[in-house]
Amino acid sequence: MIRERNYLLLTPGPLSTSGTVREAMLQDWCTWDKDYNEGIVSPIRKGLLALAGLDEREYTDVLLQGSGTYCVEATIGATVRPTDKLLILANGAYGERMARIADYYGIHYVLVSLRETELVTGEVAREALEAHPDVTHLSMVHSETTTGLLNPIEEVAEVIRGRGITFIVDAMSSFGGIPIDIKGLGIDFLVSSANKCIQGVPGFGFIIARKDKLMATKGNARSLSLDIYAQWETMERGHGKWRFTSPTHVVRAFYQAMKELNDEGGISARYERYRRNHRTLVDGMRSLGFETLLPDEAQGPIITSFLYPSADFDFASFYERLKAKGFVIYPGKISHADTFRIGNIGDVFPEDMEALIRVIKEIR
Ligand SMILES: *Cc1c(COP(=O)(O)O)cnc(C)c1O
């Protein structure tokens, strides 16, 4: 049986996984065998579409080795052609990263760079499109893990509806933990990864796409290993076969994690748990005098940024003392304020948050 946890990860990925997810990695799998491809990979691909509430005739998905960024890069690199123009609406490190990707590929793009505490609203999208009517693709982040802010993708979806713009959403830290109406919002490519809200371990990501849009990327990719069309085609033809070495143990763990998500009651039940975690955390921290970076209206349930309680607050020492008590948290990631972050996702429950609050009260 699995040893006890070394500590509870209150970080948004890798995050704390269940013992049963970790245990699922204790066997080796043959990547040529149907036990693996038809028994594990194909059900994962079908399961992701089912989780997203999508019809297999209209939507499809593709799994890709690497971390989440590999999938964002693969999607941007394969969808935005040299004659296209990408509009990136950013309010944090992950949105800005899309622009770095576009730089590497020499993609024609416009970056709207908001403050990290400002939401990407429909108004922001409307203004940008008025200034740049020749935009063909729009990309943005749903849950900006930089701060914990949740962008109103439905407002942006409303603005671009009917304009023929390809809509790319980085839902890395929201898919599986926050309901997203992919079809209703007209999302063409949604990117996420194994080690966030589905609560698997790191090693691969996935792209859920409109089938016609994915098929249209054939021949566009400027990277062999990040060619999502080629990867998709091999998976379709090979009934779950990956093009290059697949992270077998990680994939098997993900299969278990998806089962556990369904057992929990699906995305809506998980969303409720994350919201309870978040509520318990924020109420507890506020009772101890801590303040959140974001107003509650902009805050999502995934991760929360807290301001340093005083100018002489020693984060390094706070971190070490918390770790000694079994909790690992995250430093802040923004430039204009001193913050630290606490994640609410993973195999984490309101009782864990209560225990954390007791410890913070004791050590600070
Ligand atoms: C985790 C995350 C990513 C991917 O980061 P990796 O380190 O490549 O896994 C991308 N976008 C968001 C919003 C994330 O939270």
Side-chain angles (χ1 to χ4, degrees):
M1 213 16 223
I2 302 298
R3 275 192 304 138
E4 259 187 58
R5 282 196 168 113
N6 40 357
Y7 38 58
L8 193 69
L9 277 173
L10 295 176
T11 60
L15 38 63
S16 291
T17 52
S18 67
T20 34
V21 163
R22 295 194 299 277
E23 202 176 31
M25 291 186 282
L26 294 179
Q27 245 160 8
D28 303 318
W29 296 88
C30 171
T31 58
W32 289 97
D33 197 281
K34 65 178 186 343
D35 284 356
Y36 179 67
N37 292 321
E38 288 174 29
I40 298 169
V41 182
S42 291
I44 286 175
R45 293 188 62 218
K46 272 184 183 299
L48 286 173
L49 288 186
L51 206 51
L54 297 170
D55 186 332
E56 284 182 37
R57 284 164 302 187
E58 249 183 308
Y59 291 85
T60 187
D61 55 32
V62 56
L63 317 180
L64 186 69
Q65 296 92 331
S67 80
T69 304
Y70 290 58
C71 292
V72 176
E73 176 170 341
T75 303
I76 290 176
T79 52
V80 191
R81 294 162 305 176
T83 49
D84 293 332
K85 187 166 175 180
L86 172 66
L87 170 62
I88 302 165
L89 303 177
N91 55 350
Y94 295 102
E96 299 284 336
R97 191 176 292 174
M98 290 173 169
R100 299 292 78 74
I101 292 169
D103 285 334
Y104 269 79
Y105 283 76
I107 282 170
H108 197 194
Y109 73 94
V110 179
L111 170 66
V112 175
S113 217
L114 304 177
R115 282 172 66 89
E116 289 138 325
T117 47
E118 227 179 316
L119 290 168
V120 174
T121 59
E123 196 47 43
V124 168
R126 192 173 301 113
E127 273 175 28
L129 288 174
E130 265 163 32
H132 306 280
D134 53 341
V135 156
T136 54
H137 294 64
L138 186 150
S139 66
M140 66 181 289
V141 175
H142 184 208
S143 164
E144 235 318 341
T145 323
T146 309
T147 51
L149 175 153
L150 190 66
N151 282 314
I153 44 174
E154 44 312 315
E155 286 186 21
V156 176
E158 203 49 51
V159 169
I160 62 172
R161 190 178 301 282
R163 292 199 195 214
I165 292 172
T166 297
F167 192 17
I168 301 168
V169 176
D170 168 347
M172 209 70 67
S173 70
S174 54
F175 183 74
I178 299 179
I180 304 172
D181 181 4
I182 296 176
K183 182 174 176 165
L185 298 177
I187 297 173
D188 297 300
F189 294 88
L190 177 136
V191 186
S192 193
S193 75
N195 60 288
K196 300 254 164 119
C197 298
I198 297 180
Q199 298 181 189
V201 303
F204 75 95
F206 53 90
I207 297 134
I208 297 177
R210 273 193 63 97
K211 213 176 208 169
D212 54 350
K213 293 272 185 166
L214 182 83
M215 307 275 273
T217 68
K218 183 177 183 176
N220 290 350
R222 278 153 277 181
S223 157
L224 169 73
S225 47
L226 300 183
D227 185 339
I228 53 176
Y229 179 84
Q231 180 88 346
W232 174 81
E233 195 185 33
T234 304
M235 283 193 170
E236 288 283 308
R237 292 215 179 130
H239 308 283
K241 179 84 181 67
W242 297 54
R243 267 185 316 162
F244 311 128
T245 298
S246 113
T248 47
H249 301 78
V250 174
V251 172
R252 180 61 184 83
F254 189 76
Y255 178 82
Q256 175 64 23
M258 281 186 72
K259 182 180 176 305
E260 293 178 14
L261 171 54
N262 286 319
D263 291 348
E264 184 172 345
I267 294 176
S268 55
R270 183 154 292 181
Y271 178 53
E272 276 314 311
R273 173 163 63 86
Y274 287 170
R275 291 215 298 189
R276 275 186 289 129
N277 286 348
H278 172 252
R279 217 42 281 154
T280 308
L281 172 72
V282 171
D283 289 350
M285 290 295 277
R286 284 181 178 155
S287 78
L288 299 179
F290 286 90
E291 284 174 39
T292 57
L293 170 73
L294 299 172
D296 291 352
E297 310 82 71
Q299 176 71 56
I302 304 301
I303 183 168
T304 314
S305 297
F306 293 96
L307 298 168
Y308 282 9
S310 59
D312 61 354
F313 178 72
D314 183 351
F315 176 74
S317 142
F318 181 67
Y319 173 90
E320 288 302 337
R321 280 175 295 146
L322 270 184
K323 185 175 149 194
K325 297 278 187 186
F327 297 97
V328 166
I329 64 167
Y330 241 25
K333 201 176 183 166
I334 68 169
S335 40
H336 72 272
D338 284 328
T339 58
F340 61 87
R341 294 175 293 169
I342 301 181
N344 309 307
I345 64 178
D347 191 42
V348 173
F349 300 84
E351 308 83 83
D352 296 310
M353 291 304 183
E354 284 165 10
L356 171 76
I357 297 297
R358 282 194 297 275
V359 166
I360 292 179
K361 190 171 179 182
E362 182 190 316
I363 63 152
R364 84 196 181 100

